[in-house]
Amino acid sequence: MKLLNFTFLATYFCGVALYAQETSVFVVKPYLQDANPAEITVMWETSLGEESVVEFGTSPKLGKKAVGGAEDINFGPSRIHEVKLTGLKRFTTYYYRVKTDKLVSDIYQFKTPPFASDNESFNFLAMSDMQIDHQNPDKFNEIVNKGILPFLKSEYGNTTPDDLAMVLIPGDLVENGAKYEQWQKDFFKPAQKLFSEVPVYPVLGNHERNANFYFKYFSLPKNGTPAYAEHWWYKDYGNTRIIGLNSNEGYRDSREQFAWLKSLLEETAKNGEIDFVFAQLHHPHKSELWIPGEEESSGKVVKMLEEFTTKTGKPSLHFFGHTHGYSRGQSKDHKHLWINVASAGGAIDNWGEFEGRDYDEFSVTQDEYGFVMVEVDGNHENPKFTIKRISRGNEELYRDNEKTDEIVIYAKSHQPETPIAIAFNGAVEYTGGMLKAQPFRSSFKDAYHAASHWQISTTQDFDTLALDSWKQSENWYYGENRQKNDNLTDEPTKRLKPNTKYYWRVRYRDQHLNWSDWSKTESFKTNN
């Protein structure tokens, strides 16, 4: 009898083990990729199973079915599934679930993009560098589930797909892209509630290590250089073009990438449906918190975007990461923004921890966790976008989704009035004096004085500058506003050459990055 019971139990547990091995589970729950007005891609990973089915429809009853394919991802039984849904209606909410054999997901939602001609408004999110910090391993989970999702609900109050069109990530998704388990545990799992309903568009950071897992997990637009599929690409959403670039070693100086970008910008210049161009790449051109993280090649991208914007009048920006903090800056002569969108998980680059520098371009730098919201107003009369930094603070100062920075950029220019230079002329002490101009004025509602640009030259064409001073209305550096007491309507000359004739002028900028014309050129002569 005892022998019989033992045999029965052994057979039973062996069967349970065999059944468990044959039962598929989700390794990565469903997430969204590459959305267009008429189609979207759904992906997920299972422990085994080849069936790749998405059931979908405009109500939770679903009713339609699409079939895709599966491939191995780690030389084992696990499979990454990819299904493209086609024939969709633009700017429409859909419900979906995925199915692999007997494994069926919950029902999720997504919303298709509009056409540019629909003039629809939308929001998207940018964040980076969520690679795990082993001293604070749950930070990315906090950013998503206590930061982003509650913020969307409190700020906009609708379903997640109605409140958010896409998520941009300029690199460093995981700590080591060659480690398979990090993708599920550290990236997809914490963000599952977000990525299941909003498409995510990353670019490669240095921590991805160009690993094959990155290219298997993502199905990004295949409109870059064919030999470098998914290394660089672009995506249109409404009136906005998003450009993804690879700033990593081996690609950052690629002739193919720059040739592709040049051609794309030339096409975008002719495209009347595109009002704004946003690029994302991992490495900064300049970094106030961490100078060693800067890359010269990123400056080439910035220059191309600046020239594009000035030529076309279409505002642009570039999102970046690598430095673990937030920065917002702007180009001096171009309607172009610089936005560092870190850190969404990686250890903060605290003030004083690394070599830094107070760059003229940056108005705000913060050593904090957080994310960036972008609100695009599709009003065809005068489209605009708004950048908002939502902070989660740092180890010393906790912030619960506080808005710590904001800027609004309009597609159309509205110049401030030309400033009037009121001092000085005649003789001036060569050791220095004070340039002065009348207060800022603009006919545009709520415009204020955001920057001044002063020049002194020994020539009337200003090709030989003795002073070239560009200052913002705010300059948050190392926790303090270094422009706190500067009203921007005067500027010290500093030391000049004695007994010399000089010419000077000034121009004003509003908070929307619109410059006035230069003031009338005035002159003075220094004494002995």
Side-chain angles (χ1 to χ4, degrees):
M1 185 65 179
K2 291 182 180 180
L3 180 61
L4 178 62
N5 286 343
F6 177 80
T7 303
F8 170 78
L9 290 173
T11 303
Y12 172 79
F13 284 116
C14 182
V16 169
L18 183 62
Y19 174 79
Q21 290 176 2
E22 294 176 347
T23 301
S24 183
V25 297
F26 285 111
V27 178
V28 174
K29 290 185 177 181
Y31 58 99
L32 300 172
Q33 292 281 277
D34 199 11
N36 294 302
E39 59 188 34
I40 196 169
T41 296
V42 182
M43 300 184 72
W44 68 99
E45 183 184 359
T46 58
S47 58
L48 51 84
E50 300 296 327
E51 186 182 39
S52 305
V53 172
V54 176
E55 299 171 323
F56 67 101
T58 54
S59 78
K61 294 182 180 180
L62 307 178
K64 295 183 178 180
K65 184 173 74 171
V67 178
E71 65 173 337
D72 75 273
I73 191 166
N74 196 34
F75 306 104
S78 64
R79 292 290 184 269
I80 185 79
H81 304 265
E82 181 174 342
V83 178
K84 179 177 284 190
L85 312 186
T86 60
L88 306 178
K89 296 179 180 180
R90 71 182 189 275
F91 214 54
T92 300
T93 297
Y94 285 87
Y95 298 80
Y96 79 97
R97 68 183 178 190
V98 306
K99 181 176 179 292
T100 298
D101 301 325
K102 295 181 179 180
L103 182 65
V104 180
S105 75
D106 293 335
I107 294 177
Y108 305 104
Q109 298 180 52
F110 65 83
K111 192 169 186 176
T112 52
F115 292 144
S117 58
D118 294 327
N119 301 313
E120 294 286 355
S121 299
F122 57 92
N123 309 318
F124 67 89
L125 166 76
M127 60 178 171
S128 75
D129 296 81
M130 57 279 298
Q131 77 265 28
I132 190 168
D133 170 14
H134 295 287
Q135 302 300 315
N136 201 348
D138 294 323
K139 181 55 68 172
F140 181 45
N141 181 67
E142 176 205 313
I143 294 291
V144 173
N145 296 294
K146 294 184 179 180
I148 295 168
L149 294 176
F151 175 83
L152 294 174
K153 195 67 177 177
S154 64
E155 187 78 0
Y156 309 111
N158 305 302
T159 64
T160 300
D162 279 323
D163 292 337
L164 195 64
M166 66 178 80
V167 177
L168 303 185
I169 304 180
D172 282 4
L173 288 66
V174 293
E175 184 267 332
N176 184 342
K179 292 185 177 181
Y180 168 66
E181 67 280 359
Q182 287 191 6
W183 289 98
Q184 307 103 47
K185 180 173 176 283
D186 301 336
F187 180 72
F188 284 110
K189 185 177 180 181
Q192 190 273 324
K193 291 182 180 179
L194 181 62
F195 296 164
S196 62
E197 300 198 322
V198 180
V200 56
Y201 298 89
V203 294
L204 287 151
N206 55 293
H207 277 273
E208 275 66 70
R209 302 193 180 190
N210 206 36
N212 199 37
F213 294 131
Y214 175 90
F215 297 98
K216 287 195 174 184
Y217 273 122
F218 299 107
S219 183
L220 298 168
K222 309 298 192 298
N223 49 22
T225 307
Y228 299 88
E230 299 180 291
H231 283 275
W232 44 88
W233 47 265
Y234 74 91
K235 166 60 58 178
D236 292 344
Y237 194 106
N239 65 344
T240 301
R241 175 157 289 178
I242 309 292
I243 302 174
L245 299 168
N246 188 341
S247 62
N248 286 293
E249 187 176 359
Y251 299 92
R252 62 174 64 117
D253 290 316
S254 166
R255 292 181 181 179
E256 291 84 358
Q257 182 168 207
F258 282 109
W260 173 84
L261 179 58
K262 180 177 182 292
S263 176
L264 178 64
L265 291 176
E266 288 173 350
E267 185 277 321
T268 308
K270 302 172 185 176
N271 189 331
E273 294 188 328
I274 299 299
D275 294 316
F276 307 119
V277 172
F278 300 157
Q280 62 168 346
L281 71 169
H282 184 61
H283 296 83
H285 172 41
K286 295 182 179 180
S287 171
E288 290 197 327
L289 283 168
W290 185 39
I291 287 177
E294 298 174 350
E295 286 296 341
E296 182 180 353
S297 61
S298 296
K300 297 178 184 178
V301 174
V302 174
K303 184 177 180 181
M304 292 175 72
L305 292 168
E306 289 175 336
E307 292 175 349
F308 163 83
T309 286
T310 297
K311 177 182 177 182
T312 65
K314 299 181 181 187
S316 62
L317 64 74
H318 69 283
F319 295 119
F320 59 95
H322 201 48
T323 298
H324 292 185
Y326 170 74
S327 289
R328 189 258 299 169
Q330 49 276 314
S331 299
K332 180 164 64 176
D333 297 314
H334 313 271
K335 210 169 182 177
H336 177 84
L337 283 173
W338 311 29
I339 310 289
N340 184 353
V341 299
S343 167
I348 294 293
D349 291 336
N350 299 291
W351 283 116
E353 189 174 357
F354 303 101
E355 181 186 3
R357 182 176 300 154
D358 187 4
Y359 285 111
D360 289 342
E361 287 86 356
F362 290 108
S363 295
V364 181
T365 293
Q366 302 163 345
D367 58 342
E368 296 182 345
Y369 298 104
F371 53 95
V372 168
M373 286 297 305
V374 183
E375 300 170 353
V376 179
D377 185 340
N379 179 353
H380 71 281
E381 293 295 331
N382 191 9
K384 67 179 179 181
F385 66 85
T386 303
I387 300 287
K388 296 180 180 179
R389 172 62 171 185
I390 310 303
S391 176
R392 300 291 300 170
N394 53 33
E395 299 304 322
E396 296 182 357
L397 177 63
Y398 173 73
R399 297 185 190 274
D400 187 10
N401 287 353
E402 292 183 28
K403 184 179 72 175
T404 55
D405 189 37
E406 180 174 351
I407 188 169
V408 180
I409 306 296
Y410 288 84
K412 295 181 180 179
S413 179
H414 44 265
Q415 280 189 301
E417 293 182 17
T418 304
I420 298 174
I422 58 176
F424 41 69
N425 48 39
V428 174
E429 293 287 340
Y430 73 89
T431 53
M434 185 70 72
L435 304 176
K436 293 183 180 180
Q438 287 187 349
F440 173 89
R441 292 185 177 89
S442 174
S443 61
F444 192 81
K445 183 182 178 181
D446 300 326
Y448 64 80
H449 195 174
S452 292
H453 186 192
W454 306 80
Q455 289 185 336
I456 298 177
S457 175
T458 54
T459 60
Q460 285 184 288
D461 58 6
F462 290 86
D463 62 352
T464 303
L465 294 176
L467 180 141
D468 187 38
S469 176
W470 171 44
K471 291 180 179 177
Q472 317 301 323
S473 59
E474 57 180 346
N475 177 25
W476 289 95
Y477 183 85
Y478 223 113
E480 67 173 347
N481 183 7
R482 294 186 169 190
Q483 285 295 100
K484 184 177 181 180
N485 297 316
D486 192 338
N487 66 12
L488 301 178
T489 61
D490 55 31
E491 181 69 13
T493 68
K494 302 180 181 178
R495 189 179 185 90
L496 299 169
K497 294 179 180 180
N499 197 30
T500 303
K501 186 174 183 179
Y502 287 97
Y503 301 89
W504 71 279
R505 62 184 182 177
V506 61
R507 60 177 176 163
Y508 289 163
R509 196 181 213 180
D510 68 16
Q511 75 272 30
H512 309 304
L513 302 190
N514 297 296
W515 279 113
S516 71
D517 291 329
W518 286 103
S519 68
K520 179 183 175 182
T521 299
E522 299 289 348
S523 65
F524 62 87
K525 186 175 181 180
T526 54
N527 59 23
N528 291 321

